Amino acid sequence: MNMMASSDCSLVNVVVDLPKELAADVEAVRQRDPEFLERAIQYVLARRIIFEELKTPASRHR
């Protein structure tokens, strides 16, 4: 996976409705380590992109 330079990135605001208990946990994590959620979301999105590429038959013929 190629990591992009920060100049190649765009800011995206995401709003998610979570149950109150989970939202409180997420906020506590954000306060302890502000960059953790960013890294976790990047990880999940990368896995999702890879999964989609692998399950698409056309991607095997590139």
Side-chain angles (χ1 to χ4, degrees):
M1 184 168 98
N2 292 335
M3 297 305 288
M4 294 182 211
S6 61
S7 62
D8 294 338
C9 297
S10 297
L11 178 64
V12 176
N13 292 316
V14 178
V15 176
V16 181
D17 290 325
L18 299 172
K20 287 182 181 183
E21 288 182 10
L22 181 56
D25 289 343
V26 169
E27 182 59 23
V29 168
R30 188 187 67 78
Q31 288 178 1
R32 270 195 320 268
D33 185 354
E35 294 179 2
F36 174 79
L37 291 177
E38 178 182 342
R39 293 188 312 267
I41 291 168
Q42 288 174 347
Y43 172 77
V44 170
L45 290 174
R47 284 185 55 115
R48 178 66 183 206
I49 290 166
I50 292 167
F51 175 78
E52 290 296 325
E53 285 292 316
L54 291 175
K55 82 173 193 175
T56 304
S59 70
R60 294 183 188 141
H61 300 290
R62 288 184 189 170

